[in-house]
Amino acid sequence: MKKYKFLLVFALIASLMLAACSKESEKASSESGKKEILMWSGTTGPDGDLIQKNIDQYNATNPDYKVKLVKMKGDVLGNKLATVTRSGKGVPDIAMIASESVSTYNSQKMLEPWDQYLDGTKVNAESYLEEAWNVGTVDGKQYGLPATMGSWVMYYNKDLVDKYAPGAADDNVITYEEIEKAGAAAKADGILAYGFSWPMQNFNNLYLQMGGKFAEGGKPTIDNETAVAAFEEFKKLEEKGYMNKKGEDTTKLFKNGKVIFLPEGTWMLAEMSKITNFKWAETFTPQWDATNIVQGSGADQFAMFKSKERSEEKIKGTVKFIEWLQSNQLEWIKSGANPTALGMLDNEEYTKMPQSFLLKSDQARDAVTIVTDPGSSYIFGEVDAAAWDVISGKVEIKDSLKKIQQTVNDKMNQ
């Protein structure tokens, strides 16, 4: 009997101790949560590591709210954001999302606006590239705050330009007409004028330059004469032998001195920096009209997904972090991305980076164009899948565009 009472008392004491520990643990967890900003990003690998370096620098300033970065693949990010926002549990304090996603998430009523937390801060339209700021504006409210900008630019071999297209790069604008002339001059030597890699990016830029639109009357459009003209230009370059054919490694060809002009992303900076056998430069993506420069880009946005667990003080702490980034984003952009905050123009190391040309002049800033039309992401995906068959002549351009339009319409109606 005594033994039984002893065990009963011991169990009761243990239970009370465990409950106390549990409460302390919950309290500590809660306090930790209050002082930590959870940030989700779909940027992984070396680029994600650079973001982490910048965040480490911010945390070293001993802010009231430190930032914890969680990296995951882009498709995983999208799925998780949808899941946690529906449940209301485990929602990150901020998430980095693509330009075209802001209007989509907002239409699904998943985002909170930033506006009321920006008063008295430097996080405003005047501090950022106008086009990047406008991406986050929906129905007069700010649902996204600009992070960094990736652009489809063009790298070129200076030696080959001097040989086959002298003077073409003097104004930093290379036209398709100049590319065709270079192709005719270089073909006999086995040199390609144009390296065609990511179909969607090449098409997007030329289509916009020709005056194309991805939406008419609020509905996606791609089955039109402008899209036909854009594909016809690439088809002509391929038929004349001025452009690589499907399957060829464009980056490898360029690095081996076999391609004069290579349209590629700013994110290829690290790869280009490995080139030692010739001098290269970076400029606008190829232009249809030198007097009307259009530079396709994308500006990731900091978005705040709906959550009942996020305090007002934490949101203010998040805005302070974004404000700090305006002039302290150097590590982040070493991947080749551009900052969206104009404050980075005061950083001499940034202004020496090749991609900085897109922010350093009014001409370049005005040229930046970011597509956010509803359904544009569906169009991009379908164009990507069909482009090579169209360019190589396996299918008729108009037939393919009709099919793409129908597929996009079906996806929009789902």
Side-chain angles (χ1 to χ4, degrees), residues 30-62:
S30 176
E31 289 175 351
S32 172
K34 288 179 182 177
K35 294 297 179 182
E36 182 178 85
I37 296 164
L38 179 61
M39 173 178 161
W40 284 7
S41 169
T43 305
T44 58
D47 292 350
D49 294 341
L50 291 173
I51 296 175
Q52 183 64 63
K53 283 184 179 181
N54 242 151
I55 289 174
D56 290 343
Q57 289 175 346
Y58 176 72
N59 289 340
T61 67
N62 293 318

Side-chain angles (χ1 to χ4, degrees), residues 71-308:
K71 298 172 286 186
M72 61 194 80
K73 291 182 178 180
D75 56 342
V76 176
L77 174 66
N79 291 334
K80 288 196 71 172
L81 284 172
T83 301
V84 298
T85 306
R86 279 196 299 268
S87 69
K89 297 180 180 179
V91 182
D93 298 303
I94 49 171
M96 273 179 59
I97 61 174
S99 311
E100 63 271 18
S101 299
V102 177
S103 58
T104 302
Y105 281 127
N106 185 60
S107 68
Q108 296 168 347
K109 303 189 183 305
M110 294 173 67
L111 301 182
E112 296 278 11
W114 291 96
D115 303 75
Q116 63 177 314
Y117 306 105
L118 305 182
D119 291 342
T121 75
K122 294 179 182 178
V123 182
N124 52 44
E126 291 73 28
S127 299
Y128 293 89
L129 181 70
E130 183 179 2
E131 185 80 352
W133 178 265
N134 290 343
V135 166
T137 309
V138 183
D139 297 330
K141 291 186 178 181
Q142 205 64 31
Y143 287 95
L145 300 177
T148 56
M149 181 174 72
S151 302
W152 191 249
V153 290
M154 183 165 68
Y155 303 91
Y156 62 90
N157 184 318
K158 285 186 171 184
D159 298 337
L160 295 181
V161 167
D162 289 343
K163 185 174 181 179
Y164 298 111
D170 290 353
D171 59 355
N172 295 319
V173 180
I174 311 295
T175 64
Y176 281 89
E177 183 180 356
E178 289 172 323
I179 288 171
E180 288 184 35
K181 288 180 179 178
K187 184 176 180 180
D189 295 334
I191 302 295
L192 298 172
Y194 193 100
F196 191 98
S197 56
W198 192 349
M200 179 276 285
Q201 293 284 3
N202 283 287
F203 175 85
N204 170 51
N205 277 274
L206 182 54
Y207 179 68
L208 291 172
Q209 291 163 19
M210 288 178 161
K213 296 180 180 180
F214 288 104
E216 289 281 2
K219 295 182 179 180
T221 176
I222 192 62
D223 183 13
N224 55 61
E225 290 304 314
T226 309
V228 172
F231 269 126
E232 283 178 341
E233 175 62 21
F234 294 126
K235 190 172 182 179
K236 179 169 65 171
L237 289 172
E238 197 264 354
E239 287 177 345
K240 289 190 172 184
Y242 302 161
M243 187 177 91
N244 59 306
K245 296 182 183 295
K246 182 180 179 180
E248 290 185 330
D249 188 335
T250 51
T251 303
K252 185 178 179 181
L253 286 168
F254 182 74
K255 290 169 74 173
N256 288 338
K258 298 295 184 182
V259 173
I260 306 172
F261 302 108
L262 176 64
E264 253 295 356
T266 49
W267 49 85
M268 289 293 287
L269 178 61
E271 194 66 26
M272 295 300 148
S273 297
K274 297 175 185 177
I275 296 173
T276 58
N277 53 318
F278 60 84
K279 292 181 180 180
W280 60 272
E282 181 178 332
T283 190
F284 295 108
T285 190
Q287 298 294 313
W288 187 246
D289 179 359
T291 65
N292 181 34
I293 303 174
V294 175
Q295 179 59 67
S297 302
D300 286 342
Q301 302 279 309
F302 291 120
M304 183 165 51
F305 284 74
K306 288 187 175 181
S307 171
K308 295 179 181 179

